[in-house]
Amino acid sequence: MLHLAGCWFRFMTVIKYSSPGKVILSGEHSVVYGKPALASSINLKLHFSIQDDKKRPENLPKGLDLVERIVVEYLSKNGFEIALRGFNYKIDSDIPISEGFGSSAAFSVATTAAFLEFYSGRKFEKVVINQLAYEAEKMFHENPSGIDNSVSCFGGLVYFRKETEFLKTIHSLDFYLPEKWKNSLFMVFSGSRRETTAELVASVKQLYLKDPENYLKIFNQIEDCTKEVLVSCKTQDFDLFKKGVNRNQELLEKLGVIGKIGIEKVRELQNFGSVKMTGAGGVLEGSGYLLVVCDPEKKDSLISYLNQYKIKFYPLIPDSRGLMKI
Ligand code: PMV
């Protein structure tokens, strides 16, 4: 079937999408080895808008170029007659870059959705958008599991497991991080990481190849934590949640993905509750943002401590909607 992309009224319209960042509650790194991970989308968002123009933008960022190519190839294979068009665009984001909040995945998801609509004149299912955003993520990060783009696309609490490249379980859960924990969850900065996600994933791979038995054992133990954290969210069991978070941190330290600066920050913050790094981590310098599950009675002292030492932080506010057309 041939779909004609050109339609006069479309040329006036601005196409605008927003997609959220994410926090991995449990399972980062082990998720690359087929283990499950649990993540929530958060209220920090990236907005992308695109509009027809006579010219194409000069010095198109490499990432945008790539997403456009992936979308155009997909549409061409699916019966759309596509010719590259001129456009202008705008990106606004409040997601910190390279700190474990999934900024690149949010970019891939929002831009994929917008380019699909820009070139086809219609909206696509999130399943298709997510698959194409994952193709972009693979170009950016070499061997990503796909959890970041899946959470950003579908939103809410997502249980993710990649069995093989062609079979993934992306389960959008019908419950969220319990509302009553809302004043206890914080994202606290441990310092910028020097390594990229791809480098950190590759460093775990090297260690795993040297001692697969030991590393598989760690991944299996992380899987247990992820299930514990999952059950704790469903049953709203705060103590179980804290236990899973603490144990997950111990195992991430064993994996060697958090360096001295990050571990020191974790130890200081453990005075206020349970703490884990979240995302790829960081060894050479900081490790990005840490998830802090604060004991309710220590919340005020945590905030005074963070303010006193001028440590950047965000309250963790979950998002339930994922990718949205605005
Ligand atoms: O790069 P980040 O911080 O969004 O974390 C990615 C999570 C990893 O498990 C380390 C990699 C992946 O692709 O799942």
Side-chain angles (χ1 to χ4, degrees):
M1 189 173 43
L2 183 71
H3 305 273
L4 290 176
C7 194
W8 69 269
F9 56 82
R10 238 173 3 84
F11 288 87
M12 318 293 293
T13 356
V14 180
I15 296 168
K16 191 167 179 183
Y17 280 88
S18 78
S19 47
K22 62 95 207 340
V23 53
I24 298 183
L25 302 172
S26 183
E28 49 275 269
H29 286 290
S30 58
V31 70
V32 176
Y33 297 81
K35 301 294 173 192
L38 182 69
S40 172
S41 55
I42 55 175
N43 72 334
L44 301 176
K45 291 193 176 157
L46 177 139
H47 298 262
F48 178 74
S49 55
I50 184 167
Q51 186 176 24
D52 260 299
D53 201 350
K54 288 196 191 78
K55 293 186 297 187
R56 292 176 62 77
E58 276 170 30
N59 305 322
L60 199 61
K62 206 166 146 242
L64 204 57
D65 209 7
L66 191 121
V67 171
E68 185 188 23
R69 190 147 33 90
I70 290 172
V71 166
V72 165
E73 270 173 30
Y74 170 83
L75 290 172
S76 304
K77 276 192 200 137
N78 284 279
F80 287 84
E81 199 184 25
I82 303 291
L84 285 189
R85 289 175 23 206
F87 62 86
N88 60 51
Y89 69 95
K90 196 166 162 223
I91 304 174
D92 283 318
S93 178
D94 39 38
I95 310 174
I97 295 172
S98 285
E99 307 293 7
F101 279 122
S103 59
S104 132
F107 170 85
S108 300
V109 169
T111 53
T112 299
F115 272 123
L116 275 170
E117 189 172 333
F118 179 72
Y119 276 113
S120 73
R122 62 165 148 105
K123 288 202 256 170
F124 277 75
E125 297 281 326
K126 281 192 174 181
V127 176
V128 174
I129 296 167
N130 193 42
Q131 182 54 40
L132 297 179
Y134 177 56
E135 296 304 318
E137 285 288 282
K138 281 199 281 192
M139 308 293 241
F140 300 149
H141 304 299
E142 289 166 36
N143 183 27
S145 61
I147 186 169
D148 286 14
N149 51 281
S150 301
V151 177
S152 183
C153 189
F154 297 105
L157 209 50
V158 173
Y159 187 81
F160 177 96
R161 186 172 195 138
K162 177 171 146 188
E163 304 296 339
T164 68
E165 202 47 41
F166 60 85
L167 178 63
K168 294 185 205 110
T169 306
I170 305 169
H171 201 94
S172 280
L173 299 166
D174 60 359
F175 54 92
Y176 303 107
L177 274 164
E179 181 69 20
K180 62 180 179 187
W181 299 354
K182 127 172 145 213
N183 289 324
S184 297
L185 305 179
F186 294 90
M187 301 296 295
V188 177
F189 194 49
S190 73
S192 292
R193 55 156 99 134
R194 175 131 50 104
E195 307 93 322
T196 61
T197 298
E199 284 164 351
L200 288 156
V201 169
S203 73
V204 174
K205 179 81 174 267
Q206 272 183 359
L207 295 167
Y208 162 76
L209 290 175
K210 276 194 204 137
D211 189 358
E213 208 178 311
N214 180 37
Y215 278 81
L216 273 179
K217 206 166 114 197
I218 302 177
F219 297 145
N220 285 334
Q221 289 168 334
I222 294 181
E223 176 167 10
D224 292 341
C225 285
T226 302
K227 289 182 180 159
E228 215 164 58
V229 170
L230 170 74
V231 170
S232 73
C233 290
K234 171 82 180 164
T235 57
Q236 311 205 352
D237 183 338
F238 192 60
D239 290 335
L240 186 65
F241 184 67
K242 281 185 58 192
K243 187 171 153 243
V245 165
N246 273 336
R247 180 81 185 113
N248 197 174
Q249 172 61 24
E250 284 168 24
L251 293 163
L252 288 162
E253 287 180 26
K254 277 198 190 170
L255 276 188
V257 288
I258 175 161
K260 199 165 160 278
I261 296 175
I263 292 180
E264 268 170 23
K265 195 55 93 239
V266 168
R267 297 291 176 269
E268 282 167 33
L269 292 165
Q270 279 171 338
N271 290 318
F272 304 97
S274 300
V275 186
K276 76 176 269 285
M277 51 153 269
T278 169
V283 179
L284 300 173
E285 288 177 8
S287 310
Y289 277 81
L290 308 171
L291 168 65
V292 178
V293 188
C294 180
D295 296 326
E297 70 283 4
K298 295 186 180 157
K299 184 187 162 199
D300 291 344
S301 41
L302 170 66
I303 291 178
S304 315
Y305 164 83
L306 296 171
N307 287 333
Q308 183 184 350
Y309 292 98
K310 299 192 168 45
I311 300 171
K312 285 192 278 181
F313 71 99
Y314 294 87
L316 194 174
I317 303 174
D319 151 271
S320 60
R321 287 175 295 186
L323 173 72
M324 282 202 314
K325 164 112 195 196
I326 326 181

